[in-house]
Amino acid sequence: MIPVFDGHNDYLQRAVAAGADADRMWTQGDGTGHIDLPRLRQGAMAGGFFAVWIPDPDPGDVARIVMLKENPPFDLPLPPPVDSRTALPQAFAQAAALLALERSGTLSICRSTAEIRAAMEAGRIAAILHMEGAEPLADLDALHVWHAIGLRSLGFVWSRPTAYGQGVPFAFPSSPDRGDGLTERGRALVRECNALRIIIDLSHLNEKGCDDVARLSDAPLVATHSGAHAVCPSSRNLTDRQLRQIADSGGVVGLNFNTGFLAPDGRREPFRGFEPMLRHLDHLLGILDEDGVALGSDFDGAVMPADLPDAAALPRLLEAMLAHGYGRELVERIAWRNWLSLAERSWGG
């Protein structure tokens, strides 16, 4: 089977919630969520970006949209900020869960492209430690601590404000042009990420913030789990202008599998077939070309299509891409090669 390297999953929060059962849930599976070791192997998912993400203390309306799949139109205010003192213990718990997976011998936390390739060749899951929302970072010194732990990819925001910038709200239909650009601390964070060669993730960041990153960063622009706004006008998707910015930088966009960001009507329901996903891929390829498109599932953090309910079903998507007329070489680029190329150009070998 063609292997898959994935741009985003939220498994670590599930692992923390499982507590003492986390090891069994990973190694044997318990039928919940979208990811565990048996399903990753069944679906030939060789690795991906494992996100540290801080949930809202009071989910409120956001939970109604995200979890209960309320249909559009909707336009919710951004959830309130979460301070670093609240976020840090949760972030450490999720990072510790990833370290525990590494100690099991089934997964490697990869800090270089060579380590990704070595893990894939050895049959271990190749994990990139990612942070979705910079709430745990009280300052730039904290960024260096997380880099030492293994952090190699950072999204400045989830869908709420941080000290560094502002995320897009849960809104459909909506432009991503909502709110101001990066703060002064956010601009400094761009420069420090470049110095440490940490990938900056544009997913969830509002349009003015993305423009600031594009202006300041000397690295390829990346959106780990996003879609095409021209196909589905969600605030979370990228406009053609944003896609051209990413293309001009030699960057990569990973296609989000969340049905609400795929379906043209924005409904968060498990549709049948792969036509909406293929429409996004066609559009992304038309702007980013064959080197700039990848996969970014959002497993364990989103509503999946009916025919792609979990990681074990990934071969169905690749088969649909082949049947759609993508050659095997292009499918391999989208499935895994483009993420490895991006890592090499971002970090070196």
Side-chain angles (χ1 to χ4, degrees):
M1 290 191 293
I2 296 173
V4 171
F5 198 90
D6 180 47
H8 187 93
N9 74 70
D10 289 299
Y11 176 79
L12 297 180
Q13 191 186 25
R14 270 184 63 218
V16 171
D21 289 332
D23 181 68
R24 181 185 58 81
M25 183 177 74
W26 171 254
T27 58
Q28 300 177 30
D30 64 359
T32 66
H34 304 139
I35 283 179
D36 50 48
L37 186 60
R39 284 183 287 181
L40 292 181
R41 289 178 169 161
Q42 185 177 349
M45 185 168 146
F49 292 64
F50 282 67
V52 169
W53 172 72
I54 310 304
D56 281 307
D58 181 11
D61 287 341
V62 172
R64 191 182 81 238
I65 296 296
V66 176
M67 303 307 296
L68 301 183
K69 308 188 290 286
E70 182 165 312
N71 290 323
F74 52 80
D75 193 338
L76 301 180
L78 289 169
V82 175
D83 65 75
S84 61
R85 287 174 296 180
T86 300
L88 189 57
Q90 298 179 67
F92 276 151
Q94 292 178 42
L98 188 60
L99 288 165
L101 295 182
E102 186 171 54
R103 289 195 300 274
S104 75
T106 62
L107 175 147
S108 295
I109 301 173
C110 299
R111 297 163 174 83
S112 69
T113 314
E115 290 183 1
I116 293 175
R117 294 186 184 278
M120 290 175 66
E121 290 171 4
R124 296 189 300 272
I125 302 301
I128 295 172
L129 177 57
H130 169 75
M131 189 177 287
E132 184 179 29
E135 290 93 346
L137 304 179
D139 50 37
L140 295 183
D141 288 338
L143 180 69
H144 284 258
V145 173
W146 278 93
H147 181 264
I149 293 170
L151 185 74
R152 291 297 181 271
S153 177
L154 172 66
F156 290 11
V157 297
W158 180 65
S159 288
R160 62 181 166 232
T162 69
Y164 305 99
Q166 184 170 310
V168 293
F170 288 91
F172 185 98
S174 174
S175 163
D177 186 13
R178 306 283 294 263
D180 298 328
L182 298 182
T183 65
E184 182 177 347
R185 290 178 66 183
R187 294 189 290 273
L189 186 58
V190 172
R191 292 187 285 269
E192 205 67 14
C193 284
N194 282 176
L196 291 171
R197 306 185 80 172
I198 294 173
I199 293 167
I200 298 172
D201 181 15
L202 303 179
S203 296
H204 285 285
L205 188 61
N206 66 356
E207 190 167 7
K208 288 184 175 65
C210 290
D211 287 345
D212 285 341
V213 175
R215 178 173 55 85
L216 295 168
S217 180
D218 59 14
L221 300 176
V222 176
T224 61
H225 59 305
S226 292
H229 192 272
V231 179
C232 171
S234 167
S235 58
R236 269 282 283 113
N237 285 336
L238 299 166
T239 66
D240 287 358
R241 186 184 71 83
Q242 291 177 293
L243 294 174
R244 285 191 289 270
Q245 282 182 324
I246 294 171
D248 290 346
S249 76
V252 172
V253 174
L255 177 64
N256 195 323
F257 298 177
N258 188 331
T259 59
F261 306 145
L262 291 170
D265 62 5
R267 290 178 180 267
R268 293 172 177 266
E269 297 174 353
F271 57 74
R272 287 284 178 187
F274 296 96
E275 192 272 339
M277 304 182 80
L278 295 169
R279 286 184 62 186
H280 280 267
L281 289 171
D282 285 345
H283 193 87
L284 295 174
L285 287 165
I287 298 176
L288 293 156
D289 210 351
E290 295 187 358
D291 296 328
V293 181
L295 302 178
S297 69
D298 211 357
F299 280 145
D300 284 331
V303 178
M304 293 289 116
D307 295 320
L308 187 51
D310 55 30
L314 283 166
R316 298 179 193 171
L317 172 60
L318 304 191
E319 289 165 6
M321 291 161 61
L322 290 166
H324 188 61
Y326 296 173
R328 185 180 176 89
E329 181 179 350
L330 174 55
V331 173
E332 289 194 357
R333 286 174 182 266
I334 295 170
W336 69 279
R337 293 188 185 277
N338 286 345
W339 277 133
L340 267 66
S341 172
L342 183 279
E344 191 162 26
R345 288 180 284 117
S346 299
W347 306 335

